[in-house]
Amino acid sequence: MTPSNGDKRLLANGDKRLLASIHDVGPGFESQVEQLCGLLERRLGGPRFAMLVVPDHWGRHPLRADQAFQSKLRAWSDAGVEMFVHGWFHRDTAEHSGAARFKARHLTAGEGEFLGLDEAAALQRMRDGKALVEDVIGRPAAGFIAPAWLYGEGARAALRQAGFALAEDHWKVWDAGSGAVLASGPVVTWASRSRMRTASSLAFAALARRVLAPMRTVRVAVHPGDVTKPSLIASIDATLRRFARTHRPSRYAEILR
Ligand SMILES: [Zn+2]
């Protein structure tokens, strides 16, 4: 029996996934995270997204010391939100030279914590973050994602030993243990830091809504700062609505299977 065109389209659509995530989740951004949660739940039909948890953002917002926020994280996790470990401090405290310095300064505004760490230091922070998040949520973390999606050599080596299932950068998602690439394509994300960066992120999102539609896996990532600009929220909303039409809101864990 040959499927009709309609059937073929259904099969193809059923196969496409939308992976959405909220970055920089922690006690310092509680109200922004709640606002983003509401938006994502509305557009994705439930808690079908991931959170990237920072254990102690800038050394100022320790998750370990905030029981009320821990309870919230556990409740989100119980509801089905996947929890990734997202660095430890988020901020980059290391000295860089050459290309790494360029990346650290120009691409991340100093937020590439795992760009300059050596293997031992990266592994320690990964293990500490994993232990903390798993203790809070009472189940395994979904994976590790470096701040600003930037991994130095030390971080890449540490990642293979830290026991995480998944990792991702700007261009792909991979099996953290074996290194096997599980999904590829650029993540759609927004920048609130400066007017110019905001404008270029709005332009990229508008382009992405058209050109990324054929991709099997589309990733959308939002940040606490996004809620400060109505233009960003409108663009995030339009992007989620566009992809939710053709891509099933999914869990990262599904691409491991
Ligand atoms: Zn981040």
Side-chain angles (χ1 to χ4, degrees):
M1 205 170 79
T2 328
S4 71
N5 279 341
D7 289 338
K8 268 186 203 156
R9 206 163 38 239
L10 260 182
L11 287 173
N13 288 348
D15 222 10
K16 288 181 175 177
R17 302 186 189 94
L18 171 58
L19 301 177
S21 59
I22 303 177
H23 281 228
D24 307 345
V25 171
F29 294 122
E30 188 166 349
S31 66
Q32 295 93 327
V33 167
E34 285 181 346
Q35 204 178 324
L36 292 167
C37 256
L39 176 61
L40 266 59
E41 286 202 15
R42 267 197 309 283
R43 292 307 171 211
L44 305 176
R48 299 186 184 117
F49 51 87
M51 288 186 178
L52 277 58
V53 181
V54 183
D56 188 4
H57 197 262
W58 287 24
R60 291 178 197 159
H61 302 286
L63 173 60
R64 197 183 292 287
D66 194 326
Q67 301 253 334
F69 195 81
Q70 290 181 22
S71 304
K72 281 196 174 171
L73 269 191
R74 195 174 313 122
W76 279 319
S77 172
D78 289 347
V81 174
E82 290 178 293
M83 296 291 170
F84 283 84
V85 177
H86 188 44
W88 184 269
F89 295 120
H90 204 277
R91 175 185 261 175
D92 181 8
T93 52
E95 292 293 318
H96 301 294
S97 56
R101 178 187 302 190
F102 178 84
K103 270 191 181 176
R105 279 201 188 152
H106 297 278
L107 300 182
T108 75
E111 301 290 331
E113 180 187 8
F114 278 71
L115 196 55
L117 293 180
D118 65 27
E119 185 178 333
L123 186 57
Q124 190 61 52
R125 286 192 201 181
M126 284 176 188
R127 285 186 170 150
D128 289 349
K130 188 171 188 289
L132 174 62
V133 168
E134 294 183 348
D135 185 44
V136 167
I137 63 176
R139 56 171 60 79
F144 177 86
I145 300 173
W149 292 289
L150 288 173
Y151 303 77
E153 281 310 307
R156 287 188 189 277
L159 194 51
R160 288 191 286 274
Q161 308 157 54
F164 288 107
L166 289 170
E168 72 166 19
D169 63 15
H170 209 283
W171 297 98
K172 61 190 180 302
V173 185
W174 70 92
D175 179 319
S178 73
V181 174
L182 302 168
S184 49
V187 59
V188 187
T189 190
W190 290 264
S192 56
R193 254 190 345 259
S194 73
R195 207 184 293 175
M196 232 169 74
R197 281 171 182 274
T198 295
S200 65
S201 67
L202 291 172
F204 178 73
L207 179 70
R209 289 197 286 274
R210 286 184 285 122
V211 302
L212 296 187
M215 308 268 319
R216 178 154 190 232
T217 303
V218 168
R219 289 179 292 149
V220 171
V222 300
H223 291 81
D226 297 347
V227 307
T228 60
K229 297 189 175 179
S231 61
L232 291 181
I233 291 297
S235 174
I236 290 167
D237 195 43
T239 303
L240 291 172
R241 270 188 299 163
R242 167 63 194 88
F243 288 118
R245 282 207 325 259
T246 51
H247 291 62
R248 185 170 48 84
S250 302
R251 295 164 61 83
Y252 274 80
E254 289 176 38
I255 66 175
L256 270 171
R257 288 176 216 134

